[in-house]
Amino acid sequence: MKIENLFSIENKVAVVTGGSRGIGEMITSGFLANGVKVYISARKAPALIDKANELSEKYGIDCIPVPCDLSSMEGINEFVEIIEKKEEGIDFLINNAGAAWGEPLESFSEKGWDKVMDLNVKSIFFLTQKFKTLLTKNATEEDPSRVINIGSIDGLNVPAMETYPYGASKAAVHHLTRVLAAKLVKENILVNAIAPGPYPSNMLGAAVNHDYSEIAKRNPRNRVGTPEDMAGLAIFLCSRAGAYTVGETITSDGGIVKTSTHNLS
Ligand SMILES: NC(=O)c1ccc[n+]([C@@H]2O[C@H](COP(=O)([O-])OP(=O)(O)OC[C@H]3O[C@@H](n4cnc5c(N)ncnc54)[C@H](OP(=O)(O)O)[C@@H]3O)[C@@H](O)[C@H]2O)c1
């Protein structure tokens, strides 16, 4: 019951999609700092390679960049094939890469709808399907493999912005998590989701002009999320401590969803 046994993730192998920045980088850094070898993916190869080199040097452990576009089946297949050539098995798959798109309801485009749904929902399903063989190789009843899908509080509450497919895609991620968890728990692969609230990143930054002060003020915890908040939760889910948690969607939002109140009077 020592903390190092409860939370150790040392010597594991992880795949983190969208690991070049934002929430994916936060999880990747937490893994690397605790002895996990991490493969990261993103579309922009130079930024991805620079980030992998920076993190490998900082933490003294392999962070391997695999540039690819996960919004198409070709990109997904290529990504999985590259990892299959390098690893006999993997322990953690973090389905983090995601996109948002905002337009008024009246003119919302099919292009925006498809972009969000293809990356946020379809890629999570097919990545999990295609990584199943590698995840199974390392999965035992005592020490299961893990899949973490990154959802959003926008899939739990109604977002204020006109990002119609985004909230719907994240609600789908949360439910897909339960559906996949029900199937894969029998094969010692535990699937859970994290529903982040506001975390500084390109995606959120674009919506608030990279000024998080107003969002922080409105948050019950009076701040936005930090790398420690995100990495800590991911490490919990991947460690011995999280091995009885299955099919959950856990918010990491400072209390936005679970402390919101109604005033009916
Ligand atoms: N930040 C928040 O407040 C917040 C809140 C709730 C949920 N989330 C969720 O958290 C996840 C990460 O978002 P973030 O905020 O960290 O956003 P971000 O800073 O924009 O990072 C997105 C990552 O995904 C990669 N990516 C985007 N499109 C891709 C594609 N087609 N194929 C492969 N990789 C792709 C990006 O790299 P390239 O651009 O080079 O491809 C980048 O590494 C998303 O699922 C998002 O919905 C974020």
Side-chain angles (χ1 to χ4, degrees):
M1 289 291 189
K2 289 287 229 185
I3 198 146
E4 52 269 31
N5 297 332
L6 281 173
F7 291 96
S8 174
I9 49 172
E10 212 172 351
N11 297 324
K12 301 290 191 186
V13 178
V15 171
V16 180
T17 69
S20 66
R21 56 175 198 253
I23 286 177
E25 181 185 348
M26 296 177 199
I27 294 172
T28 298
S29 299
F31 282 172
L32 293 167
N34 290 284
V36 178
K37 174 179 172 184
V38 187
Y39 289 88
I40 57 174
S41 75
R43 288 163 305 174
K44 298 178 194 94
L48 181 74
I49 293 164
D50 284 354
K51 184 56 68 180
N53 289 340
E54 176 198 320
L55 296 180
S56 291
E57 200 165 308
K58 182 170 178 190
Y59 295 106
I61 183 164
D62 282 351
C63 180
I64 302 128
V66 183
C68 59
D69 185 344
L70 299 174
S71 64
S72 72
M73 288 306 288
E74 296 76 46
I76 290 171
N77 286 330
E78 199 185 315
F79 181 50
V80 177
E81 277 163 24
I82 290 169
I83 311 268
E84 275 171 345
K85 284 198 188 108
K86 290 176 183 280
E87 298 292 334
E88 292 197 345
I90 65 166
D91 300 282
F92 313 142
L93 169 63
I94 314 300
N95 286 315
N96 163 76
W101 188 291
E103 272 185 282
L105 176 62
E106 294 74 13
S107 54
F108 204 97
S109 60
E110 186 181 6
K111 187 176 168 208
W113 182 274
D114 288 346
K115 180 186 161 108
V116 170
M117 286 295 178
D118 282 352
L119 185 62
N120 294 12
V121 187
K122 188 174 165 184
S123 85
I124 288 189
F125 177 76
F126 285 105
L127 282 166
T128 308
Q129 178 200 58
K130 290 173 195 300
F131 273 121
K132 183 169 167 272
T133 307
L134 286 185
L135 286 162
T136 305
K137 290 254 172 67
N138 288 12
T140 64
E141 195 169 295
E142 193 55 36
D143 190 11
S145 294
R146 316 294 163 95
V147 176
I148 302 177
N149 298 325
I150 304 300
S152 171
I153 60 168
D154 285 7
L156 298 167
N157 281 1
V158 178
M161 286 178 288
E162 291 198 277
T163 51
Y164 300 99
Y166 185 75
S169 76
K170 294 302 187 178
V173 169
H174 304 158
H175 195 63
L176 185 60
T177 297
R178 296 176 61 193
V179 173
L180 290 172
K183 168 79 178 162
L184 293 176
V185 68
K186 300 185 186 86
E187 299 178 55
N188 297 318
I189 300 170
L190 310 186
V191 186
N192 288 287
I194 294 174
Y199 274 81
S201 75
N202 272 24
M203 185 187 286
L204 181 64
V208 297
N209 224 359
H210 295 277
D211 175 0
Y212 302 100
S213 54
E214 278 306 311
I215 303 184
K217 243 187 275 167
R218 286 202 305 270
N219 189 280
R221 288 277 290 127
N222 220 16
R223 65 171 176 83
V224 292
T226 69
E228 290 79 5
D229 297 318
M230 185 48 63
L233 184 48
I235 289 169
F236 159 72
L237 285 172
C238 289
S239 67
R240 175 63 190 86
Y244 205 49
T245 299
V246 181
E248 281 289 352
T249 293
I250 304 179
T251 54
S252 178
D253 66 350
I256 292 174
V257 169
K258 293 295 164 71
T259 68
S260 70
T261 53
H262 290 286
N263 188 350
L264 297 178
S265 60

